[in-house]
Amino acid sequence: FMALSPWIAVHIAPHVTPLLESAGCDPSLLAGILFSCDAGGAYLAKQIAVDPAAGLYNGLIVASFFGTAVTGAVPLSLSNTAGRQRKAAVKGLCIAFITLPLNCLITGSFCGMPMNMMLRNTWPIMILSLILLAGLLFLPQIMVPVFSGLAFAVRTAAYLSFAIAVFQDAGGPVILEGLTPLDEIYPVIVRIGVFLGGILPIFALIQRMLKKPLERLAEKVQLSPKSISYLILSTSNDIPVLMNLKELEDDGITVNVAYLMAAAYTIGDF
């Protein structure tokens, strides 16, 4: 979405800005709600923000919690579980959505951001979290296709916009004007890839070195050793965890889903 962010800022954001400003929010909240920070959220928020501090808050913090949840954690956790396991995943999501607005405020406070600004941009997140919480509790059979469809739409738009950017950069005719140049996109992608290429093997090594202590910890908290290992893994990247939730017991699914909604990528992509 880094490629498409300038286009969204020009063609879509102006239509949403009056609504957000009338509610006392910065227009950059749109980016935090729809995208994760490393998938264009931070880039778009910076471009459409009226208040630079709000742009940082929405593009980096709100997008890291809410944007990532809506486009990643929720659809992947629901689509990769069924029956009792899906109920366990829904329980974890509900726990996470209850704490999500507070997570945004606490993180922003640690960054020294103004509390008034954060509150103005967080109350819509609280309302949306409550709506999603109610949907997950009472209409889970509807929420699965809704979030799966949303995730598919987001991924399709991201892949398509990047393909168009590559095509135009290679000398093809202009299909969409104002896309981010590839020279600005590649460094970000490469840095993330290089970091993950190093951190994931390190986590694998740590898990092997701490196998016995992790097994004792798992026994004390009544979880499987794999559930404990997945908690550590999601700290760098939660995609492997979400794709393999079926391997965990019900309590392990609940704990991992709730944890990764708040702590995924802590020392990874973000």
Side-chain angles (χ1 to χ4, degrees):
F1 266 104
M2 285 187 64
L4 196 59
S5 293
W7 187 89
I8 295 175
V10 172
H11 296 281
I12 297 179
H15 300 289
V16 182
T17 295
L19 176 62
L20 291 173
E21 288 184 330
S22 66
C25 308
D26 191 87
S28 59
L29 181 61
L30 173 68
I33 290 174
L34 294 180
F35 310 118
S36 64
C37 64
D38 65 341
Y43 199 86
L44 176 60
K46 181 180 178 181
Q47 289 188 312
I48 64 177
V50 174
D51 179 1
L56 289 174
Y57 177 70
N58 290 320
L60 296 177
I61 296 175
V62 173
S64 294
F65 286 109
F66 195 86
T68 302
V70 170
T71 59
V74 174
L76 286 177
S77 61
L78 295 179
S79 61
N80 287 294
T81 53
R84 288 179 52 191
Q85 289 187 325
R86 180 171 292 170
K87 291 182 180 180
V90 167
K91 183 178 179 181
L93 291 172
C94 291
I95 294 170
F97 274 120
I98 291 172
T99 63
L100 195 149
L102 186 60
N103 294 340
C104 293
L105 291 174
I106 292 175
T107 305
S109 298
F110 276 117
C111 295
M113 295 183 173
M115 181 58 68
N116 287 339
M117 177 275 294
M118 290 193 295
L119 289 174
R120 288 197 307 271
N121 288 278
T122 304
W123 73 262
I125 300 301
M126 184 178 300
I127 300 299
L128 289 173
S129 295
L130 291 175
I131 293 173
L132 295 175
L133 176 62
L136 289 168
L137 285 174
F138 302 112
L139 299 169
Q141 69 278 6
I142 295 178
M143 300 300 283
V144 174
V146 167
F147 275 105
S148 297
L150 175 62
F152 176 78
V154 170
R155 287 195 300 268
T156 301
Y159 296 152
L160 185 60
S161 62
F162 184 70
I164 292 173
V166 172
F167 177 73
Q168 293 180 174
D169 189 72
V174 176
I175 301 173
L176 289 177
E177 293 184 359
L179 297 183
T180 306
L182 295 182
D183 291 342
E184 298 180 20
I185 298 175
Y186 286 148
V188 177
I189 297 175
V190 170
R191 285 180 188 139
I192 292 175
V194 169
F195 186 86
L196 289 179
I199 197 66
L200 291 178
I202 290 175
F203 269 95
L205 177 62
I206 292 174
Q207 289 175 15
R208 291 189 180 185
M209 293 175 61
L210 300 178
K211 183 178 180 180
K212 293 297 182 181
L214 290 177
E215 288 177 350
R216 290 195 293 269
L217 175 61
E219 185 177 354
K220 287 184 177 181
V221 297
Q222 297 182 342
L223 293 175
S224 68
K226 179 165 285 189
S227 293
I228 299 296
S229 297
Y230 275 10
L231 288 173
I232 298 174
L233 177 60
S234 64
T235 308
S236 62
N237 193 290
D238 66 355
I239 301 300
V241 178
L242 290 168
M243 297 301 292
N244 294 284
L245 286 175
K246 291 181 180 179
E247 299 179 0
L248 305 180
E249 74 283 9
D250 291 352
D251 288 344
I253 292 175
T254 299
V255 171
N256 270 275
V257 171
Y259 176 80
L260 64 85
M261 286 271 283
Y265 308 102
T266 303
I267 47 177
D269 297 28
F270 298 173

